[in-house]
Amino acid sequence: MASGNGHPSNGQVDDKHPGGGHPDDGYPDDGQAPAGAGRLAPQTAARMAAAARALIGAVSAEQQIVLNPVFEDFDLESSRRHWTYLPEVDRPGLPLRALADEQRKRAHELITASVSMEGYAKVVSIMAMEHVRRALVLASAPASAHLFDPERYCFRIFGAPGPAGARRPVPWGWQLAGHHVSLNFTVVGDYVSATPCMLGSVPASYGSLSPLEHEETDGFLFVGALSPAQRAQAVIWHRPPPDFATRIAGRIGEVELPDHVFEPEPGYRISDDERAALAYVRSGPRGIGGTDLTAEQLYALVDLVARFAGRLPREVAEAELRRVDAAGPENLWFAWAGGTQRGDRHYYRVQGPGLLIEHDNTQSNGNHVHSVWRVPGGDFGDDLLAAHYRAEH
């Protein structure tokens, strides 16, 4: 068992090995979100709803049509599940450039209500990095430089954010989307789902800007602290995938194969055999499991999970870490692909019941970071919505 911060309470690792067959949704077969293991976050839910209502109230009727579409629940084709982080020519939602100063203030208040201050610093640093990216692209590909613009980040609020404590809560959600930022929230009463939560950066760092340096450093520190035998287990392939193994799927399946190539960088390509070696398998995690780690290493792995959870408000982060604790930290798995020295192209994955972290620095020869927190079976609030509709009907 583990303590409230996710660390094993007695300093020992349970000797029961998960055997690769543990279900990865973190919930019982009936899909209910159990008390203490669900993402109960009433204060955050109330702050988010108030901030969302304030933004809706601050925009014009014409802007509301763009900002506030209806809430669609489980439809994989719904606009709510469109969460690409590529520099798209056209992106749905109300962009920052369309907002007056007071509206812009309300938009940022919605972000700060939904993430931690560390998370907010990462988001605005990534936005600022767009200035650097645009300047670099102007020299090499000026025709596409306009795609990299901090004013192109778009907001959408799905449905009607209701008041706190409603007897019959109505699900709603919101999204912030742009190049290298995709924040996706679903709120059902006092419960908050915050995934997919994707942040990235290109360049990975420039001058004082290094939005994902902590995630990079912690990953290298963890793989570097493994013994040679442990590292042989953890490293699943000598080359990383071009991007996330789960890509930008609206719902994670039992098996997800990375793409052969990340289209913006056609020169880096992997074969079918490499795709198979790097695949995400929901019921058969790859790499090294928590039962093969020392207590100190297991602490470090939970701390790595906490690093990603720290993007979210403390109340939500603690709820997510309680889920890890309830499932057993010994059931976490860590996988690495690529070089293990700073500057190498690399990728790592932390997988467990109801948890998936993917972090890669593959493109631009290891100077282009993508980093995501996901909940298999629970992205876009699928688990919370299922429990809600069952209770209502």
Side-chain angles (χ1 to χ4, degrees), residues 118-371:
E118 180 179 352
Y120 181 67
K122 290 179 185 294
V123 169
V124 295
S125 295
I126 291 164
M127 291 178 171
M129 189 68 85
E130 291 292 90
H131 290 295
V132 176
R133 180 62 173 167
R134 184 172 65 242
L136 294 172
V137 172
L138 273 171
S140 58
S144 59
H146 69 283
L147 295 175
F148 306 100
D149 181 351
E151 297 293 295
R152 297 185 73 242
Y153 289 85
C154 294
F155 290 79
R156 288 188 294 171
I157 299 171
F158 303 99
R167 288 188 60 194
R168 297 178 68 87
V170 177
W172 69 279
W174 82 273
Q175 180 189 78
L176 172 63
H179 186 220
H180 283 153
V181 173
S182 186
L183 304 181
N184 300 274
F185 298 93
T186 305
V187 183
V188 183
D190 290 337
Y191 286 85
V192 175
S193 167
T195 62
C197 176
M198 187 278 172
L199 301 175
S201 181
V202 57
S205 62
Y206 197 93
S208 61
L209 289 176
S210 188
L212 297 167
E213 173 60 29
H214 290 148
E215 291 86 339
E216 282 275 282
T217 297
D218 288 358
F220 275 111
L221 287 174
F222 185 82
V223 76
L226 298 176
S227 70
Q230 289 174 318
R231 195 174 306 171
Q233 286 180 261
V235 178
I236 59 174
W237 197 247
H238 65 281
R239 292 211 304 161
D243 200 1
F244 304 138
T246 54
R247 308 172 320 285
I248 52 174
R251 183 178 296 143
I252 297 175
E254 168 62 22
V255 177
E256 298 287 352
L257 296 172
D259 289 331
H260 288 100
V261 64
F262 184 70
E263 292 300 334
E265 189 167 320
Y268 186 84
R269 181 178 293 271
I270 60 174
S271 68
D272 286 339
D273 287 344
E274 289 178 303
R275 292 180 76 207
L278 295 163
Y280 163 84
V281 181
R282 187 168 173 176
S283 60
R286 296 176 176 179
I288 187 168
T291 56
D292 292 322
L293 300 174
T294 67
E296 183 176 0
Q297 291 167 334
L298 189 55
Y299 295 156
L301 185 56
V302 173
D303 284 342
L304 181 57
V305 174
R307 170 69 68 189
F308 281 78
R311 299 172 177 180
L312 306 173
R314 182 171 181 175
E315 185 183 36
V316 181
E318 289 179 347
E320 291 287 5
L321 292 174
R322 283 196 299 271
R323 285 156 44 85
V324 172
D325 182 74
E330 68 277 5
N331 291 315
L332 294 173
W333 288 73
F334 177 85
W336 184 279
T340 57
Q341 301 300 315
R342 294 300 294 253
D344 293 340
R345 298 180 193 252
H346 62 277
Y347 162 92
Y348 68 81
R349 176 192 308 160
V350 182
Q351 180 176 347
L355 170 70
L356 176 63
I357 289 168
E358 291 189 90
H359 180 95
D360 70 73
N361 192 341
T362 302
Q363 290 108 47
S364 302
N365 201 30
N367 193 27
H368 186 159
V369 180
H370 290 167
S371 189

